[in-house]
Amino acid sequence: VLPTEPHRTPTSSNVKSMECELHCPVCKEIVKQPVVLPCQHSVCLMCASEVLVQNGYPPPELPPEPNSPASTPNTRSPRQARRPMPSKADHRPIDRVLRSGFGTYPSPGRRRKEPPPALLFPCPPCGREVELGEKGLTDCLRNLTLERIVERYRHTVSLGSVAVMCQFCKPPQSLEATKGCADCQASFCNECFKLYHPWGTPRAQHEHVQPTLNFRPKVLSCPEHDQERLHFYCRTCQRLLCPLCKLRRVHAGHKVAPVAQAYQTLKDKITKEMNYILSNQETVLGQISQLESATTQTEANSVAAREQLSQSVRDLTALLAERHASLSQALEGARQRRGEALAGQVAERRSLLEHAGLMAFSQELLKETDPPCFVQAALSTSIEGLQCFSLAADPSFRHFQLDVSKELKLLTNLQFIQAPLAPVIDTQKTLAYDQLFLCWRLPQESAPAWHFSVEFRRRGVVPGGGARGGIQGRLAAARWGWQRLEEVGGTSAVIDRLEMDSVYVLRVRGCNKAGFGEYSEEVYLHTPPAPVLNFYLDSRWGLHADRLVVSKEQRCARSVPGLSLMQAADRALTSCHLTADLLVGDVAITQGRHYWACSVEPGSYLVKVGVGLEAKLQEWFHLPQDMASPRYDPDSGHDSGAEDSLESPPPFSFLTMGMGKIFLPASSPTGLTYPLPPRLGVCLDFEKGRVTFYDAHSLRPLWEGPVDCSGPVCPAFFFIGGGALQLQELVAYRMADQTPVRRVTIQSRVTNLNN
């Protein structure tokens, strides 16, 4: 509940409109004696007690309500006015009531040494159980601010159905109370107030309030330490503390501030958010209009969807009826053809029975002894039909049975079209280099997507200001929105023309006939701190070409130790350094800031990545054994060369990697070793003469050092033992190898979500 500023008096209409904010979430009525739960929601004390009783906790012994007709006498002295209850137990304030109700409850059969169970309160607004602690409602403070607001609200809307009577008038002439005394905790009429608060006495200095039936303490006191004021606020626990509670070990290391400071901070924050809302009324009204339009569209679209569903069912019914007629016609045609065939066969058999002379003729024919004459006569006589008999048509209809198991399964699983599920972003392939490359996939159980929508924004920055939070940030986000790539086909996209050294937030969602699906989880990509430098490896600089192999594309190099290196191992035992393989880029930097990245194989022995002065690199290339200074020895452990001169910058600056680690200088803030990242980034500032090494995956700086930039500077690499190195390929080159369709879909138009 927002406290009202002293200089701003709320109008009657404003007070009446906030009635919904004053309702108890349990009884749905205006709160009475509210207490603050650990979740910062306020409920009535009696409602909280009833809820705990309903959940199986023993009921507390609560006193009757103060100033009730059964317990309020008609006449009292000022001393008695401070105790409006007739008994000692009845006049306790609510803080004492909280201490008497729902403390620790021993369960039957439990040992005393066991810690008592914590009370769980099902908070309706949160929808979850809130732990009250061992002491239950004892730790819950009264919400005095909410009580004052409710009191002002009652007087404004005249909800006081029962008039507050003066507690000191003699019956039957009791008058209605007009004032209340916070110190005496009693209500007075005008005459009685003057009588018991005469001028010139200490009682005249008492604080007078509106007459009420429920007097509150003037200040909040600690529920655990009597008479201790709450002077501190723990931001970590979000609890008010007294000086004794502040000394407890449970608050060690927490952010504890004076309550006055917390009061001013929260008041300024709420005032700022309220002013921001008031100054953005048009935005809020536009959002309300948008919501109302969405509600109207929801009703209209539901009617259209219902009609479409009915039409789809009618189409299925019509198609089934049409198919039923076609199959029935085919079945009837087969029945007629088979019936006609069988009827013809029956007629033929009956005709054989009617020609009985054929049998007598056949018997006389058998008496013929002349073979030629017998053959001539037998050819004209046929009785084979009497010996060989078969049905002319199959009476069964086995071939006319329908198998509808698949169709029934399809009809059983008949559902509305489902939108695609939230895509899963492939963090291994997604990266930010010269351009931002995003790759994703749909879950296996997801419905197919026609196309995707890729949305991105710069993290923590809105046009016209810095990072914003709270209500102001949400309204600003709603105003400025996200940018997106529309109708992206495939499962990857490229975003270019982004700002350097910035963090971008990206998310993806799919779309089909059912509409857009859920968003994927947001991923954060950090763009390089400088323009990306593209170069290739210059194999002409390589030493021991029999061991150093450069790929055809000149972006990958591999060093394989052979027999010559094994023979050189004997010299290593006599303190002679091994000759390293030098490899440089085919570009020389003479100005500006540049960034590039590479990856080193985890199984490599030692690989040094960095920059060097071109003249010194050539000198080391031609006469490597004449360099006596340890800074020229790539394996000396002094890559910066700072030990030779404290004034002039070193000509080389390298970072050593190998055996799954990065070996950092002693001045590095991350320590002496760092796990080998998937990619290592290098940023050279030629004008400042500084080189910075990054974990290219997260853009975390690993180490920064000086380098001599008095002449052209080249990217350089040293291989000591076996190892492999791969330069990071530009995203633009990678996408050039994709199909033309993919390139067209990637070059989608960038728009704003609010358009």
Side-chain angles (χ1 to χ4, degrees):
V1 179
L2 305 182
T4 306
E5 295 183 1
H7 63 277
R8 182 180 300 174
T9 303
T11 62
S12 176
S13 59
N14 292 337
V15 173
K16 291 182 180 179
S17 62
M18 69 176 181
E19 180 178 353
C20 60
E21 302 293 336
L22 306 179
H23 285 177
C24 172
V26 178
C27 63
K28 306 301 181 183
E29 298 179 356
I30 296 181
V31 291
K32 187 175 182 181
Q33 297 181 351
V35 292
V36 182
L37 299 175
C39 59
Q40 306 305 319
H41 290 125
S42 298
V43 296
C44 302
L45 174 62
M46 294 300 300
C47 294
S49 304
E50 293 175 358
V51 169
L52 291 177
V53 171
Q54 293 174 2
N55 284 269
Y57 295 102
E61 296 180 359
L62 296 178
E65 296 182 4
N67 299 336
S68 60
S71 59
T72 304
N74 293 327
T75 58
R76 298 186 181 187
S77 63
R79 184 179 299 273
Q80 293 172 338
R82 301 179 184 177
R83 291 174 177 156
M85 297 294 103
S87 64
K88 181 179 179 180
D90 293 334
H91 80 274
R92 291 176 298 171
I94 188 172
D95 295 332
R96 303 296 188 269
V97 173
L98 291 176
R99 293 186 179 92
S100 65
F102 292 108
T104 58
Y105 299 97
S107 59
R110 193 185 66 192
R111 297 180 179 178
R112 295 183 178 179
K113 295 183 179 180
E114 296 180 1
L119 275 72
L120 299 178
F121 183 85
C123 180
C126 296
R128 61 183 179 88
E129 292 185 342
V130 180
E131 183 176 348
L132 299 181
E134 300 177 1
K135 300 182 180 180
L137 296 178
T138 303
D139 293 334
C140 298
L141 297 175
R142 290 182 65 181
N143 196 338
L144 298 182
T145 302
L146 181 57
E147 290 188 20
R148 296 189 185 100
I149 296 176
V150 170
E151 195 73 24
R152 291 195 295 267
Y153 173 78
R154 289 183 180 276
H155 285 281
T156 302
V157 300
S158 300
L159 288 181
S161 57
V162 179
V164 180
M165 306 303 296
C166 177
Q167 298 176 347
F168 300 94
C169 291
K170 297 181 179 180
Q173 298 179 355
S174 297
L175 300 179
E176 184 177 352
T178 58
K179 294 182 180 179
C181 180
D183 297 275
C184 300
Q185 294 191 356
S187 298
F188 301 84
C189 64
N190 289 334
E191 297 299 330
C192 293
F193 187 83
K194 295 178 181 178
L195 178 62
Y196 291 107
H197 297 80
W199 291 101
T201 62
R203 294 178 185 174
Q205 305 299 325
H206 287 186
E207 179 184 0
H208 60 87
V209 295
Q210 294 291 340
T212 180
L213 298 176
N214 180 28
F215 284 95
R216 303 174 298 273
K218 299 178 64 175
V219 293
L220 280 176
S221 59
C222 180
E224 298 186 15
H225 306 94
D226 293 339
Q227 306 302 326
E228 288 291 337
R229 302 274 301 268
L230 299 173
H231 292 290
F232 301 97
Y233 175 73
C234 180
R235 297 178 180 177
T236 306
C237 303
Q238 295 185 352
R239 292 178 62 92
L240 293 170
L241 305 176
C242 70
L244 298 180
C245 294
K246 180 178 177 292
L247 300 177
R248 287 187 172 181
R249 185 179 301 175
V250 68
H251 297 287
H254 289 187
K255 296 181 179 179
V256 179
V259 69
Q261 179 182 352
Y263 162 78
Q264 191 63 38
T265 302
L266 293 176
K267 187 175 182 179
D268 294 343
K269 178 183 177 183
I270 294 174
T271 304
K272 185 178 180 180
E273 292 182 350
M274 290 179 61
N275 294 335
Y276 188 82
I277 293 176
L278 294 176
S279 62
N280 289 271
Q281 291 292 331
E282 296 181 358
T283 303
V284 177
L285 292 176
Q287 294 175 354
I288 294 175
S289 301
Q290 185 178 358
L291 291 174
E292 293 176 350
S293 176
T295 303
T296 305
Q297 292 179 3
T298 299
E299 296 295 333
N301 293 337
S302 64
V303 174
R306 189 180 296 106
E307 180 62 27
Q308 183 181 5
L309 174 61
S310 302
Q311 184 62 36
S312 300
V313 174
R314 286 194 296 268
D315 293 343
L316 287 176
T317 305
L319 181 60
L320 286 175
E322 181 182 355
R323 192 59 180 165
H324 176 263
S326 176
L327 294 176
S328 299
Q329 185 178 359
L331 180 62
E332 182 64 21
R335 185 193 65 79
Q336 292 180 359
R337 290 191 299 270
R338 294 188 182 188
E340 292 175 357
L342 292 176
Q345 195 174 14
V346 170
E348 181 182 357
R349 290 301 181 268
R350 287 179 178 176
S351 65
L352 292 178
L353 294 178
E354 293 176 356
H355 296 80
L358 181 61
M359 298 299 296
F361 178 79
S362 298
Q363 291 178 359
E364 293 298 330
L365 180 62
L366 292 176
K367 296 179 180 179
E368 180 62 42
T369 58
D370 188 4
C373 295
F374 178 81
V375 172
Q376 183 180 5
L379 293 176
S380 60
T381 305
S382 177
I383 59 174
E384 295 178 357
L386 297 175
Q387 297 178 355
C388 182
F389 173 77
S390 61
L391 296 176
D394 187 4
S396 65
F397 281 78
R398 292 188 298 268
H399 302 290
F400 288 87
Q401 295 183 1
L402 291 178
D403 183 9
V404 295
S405 59
K406 296 181 180 179
E407 287 75 10
L408 289 177
K409 185 177 180 179
L410 290 176
L411 290 176
T412 303
N413 298 330
L414 188 63
Q415 295 180 355
F416 295 104
I417 301 176
Q418 299 293 328
L421 298 179
V424 179
I425 296 181
D426 190 347
T427 56
Q428 299 296 328
K429 298 181 180 179
T430 299
L431 58 92
Y433 199 47
D434 59 313
Q435 297 174 343
L436 197 149
F437 178 72
L438 185 65
C439 184
W440 65 87
R441 60 177 176 83
L442 281 176
Q444 186 175 2
E445 63 276 8
S446 171
W450 293 353
H451 56 82
F452 295 90
S453 175
V454 180
E455 301 179 6
F456 63 96
R457 65 176 175 86
R458 189 179 176 187
R459 180 184 180 186
V461 175
V462 296
R468 296 176 178 174
I471 299 178
Q472 182 177 358
R474 290 192 292 271
L475 290 176
R479 172 182 295 180
W480 302 111
W482 294 59
Q483 288 183 311
R484 67 181 177 187
L485 295 174
E486 296 178 342
E487 297 185 2
V488 177
T491 57
S492 60
V494 169
I495 304 175
D496 55 359
R497 299 187 297 274
L498 299 178
E499 298 187 22
M500 294 183 299
D501 199 13
S502 301
V503 178
Y504 283 87
V505 187
L506 299 99
R507 61 185 184 183
V508 188
R509 60 175 177 171
C511 179
N512 56 15
K513 189 176 182 180
F516 284 97
E518 297 292 334
Y519 284 104
S520 66
E521 294 185 0
E522 296 180 353
V523 295
Y524 299 84
L525 294 180
H526 198 151
T527 54
V532 175
L533 177 67
N534 183 41
F535 62 90
Y536 298 91
L537 298 175
D538 193 348
S539 59
R540 296 173 300 176
W541 283 62
L543 295 178
H544 304 285
D546 58 333
R547 300 197 316 268
L548 190 63
V549 179
V550 180
S551 65
K552 182 179 180 181
E553 297 80 9
Q554 294 184 330
R555 303 194 68 88
C556 180
R558 179 176 293 275
S559 176
V560 181
L563 181 61
S564 58
L565 186 60
M566 296 176 61
Q567 294 175 351
D570 296 337
R571 297 196 300 270
L573 299 178
T574 59
S575 300
C576 295
H577 68 273
L578 300 178
T579 303
D581 295 326
L582 171 65
L583 202 60
V584 300
D586 62 349
V587 63
I589 302 173
T590 58
Q591 63 179 355
R593 298 176 69 244
H594 302 276
Y595 175 84
W596 64 91
C598 63
S599 58
V600 175
E601 189 176 277
S604 303
Y605 181 66
L606 286 179
V607 178
K608 293 178 177 291
V609 178
V611 295
L613 205 60
E614 184 180 20
K616 293 296 183 179
L617 290 174
Q618 292 180 354
E619 184 180 359
W620 189 92
F621 173 77
H622 293 291
L623 299 172
Q625 297 180 356
D626 294 341
M627 303 300 174
S629 174
R631 71 180 179 185
Y632 299 125
D633 183 1
D635 196 27
S636 65
H638 302 274
D639 296 337
S640 64
E643 69 280 359
D644 288 348
S645 175
L646 297 178
E647 298 179 357
S648 61
F652 305 137
S653 183
F654 293 97
L655 205 61
T656 305
M657 296 176 290
M659 295 171 285
K661 298 179 181 179
I662 295 181
F663 302 96
L664 302 174
S667 59
S668 174
T670 58
L672 297 179
T673 60
Y674 185 82
L676 182 65
R679 294 178 293 120
L680 179 71
V682 183
C683 182
L684 174 65
D685 192 333
F686 188 87
E687 281 71 17
K688 294 183 179 180
R690 306 289 294 181
V691 60
T692 307
F693 297 89
Y694 295 89
D695 180 348
H697 183 71
S698 60
L699 260 293
R700 177 184 180 184
L702 299 178
W703 182 74
E704 180 181 358
V707 64
D708 187 3
C709 293
S710 59
V713 178
C714 298
F717 311 93
F718 283 99
F719 291 89
I720 302 176
L725 178 137
Q726 173 75 45
L727 294 180
Q728 178 66 49
E729 185 180 10
L730 296 181
V731 175
Y733 291 173
R734 176 187 300 183
M735 300 312 300
D737 298 334
Q738 304 294 334
T739 60
V741 176
R742 175 64 59 81
R743 293 207 304 268
V744 170
T745 56
I746 288 173
Q747 297 173 358
S748 303
R749 181 171 57 92
V750 178
T751 62
N752 194 283
L753 288 179
N754 293 329
N755 295 334

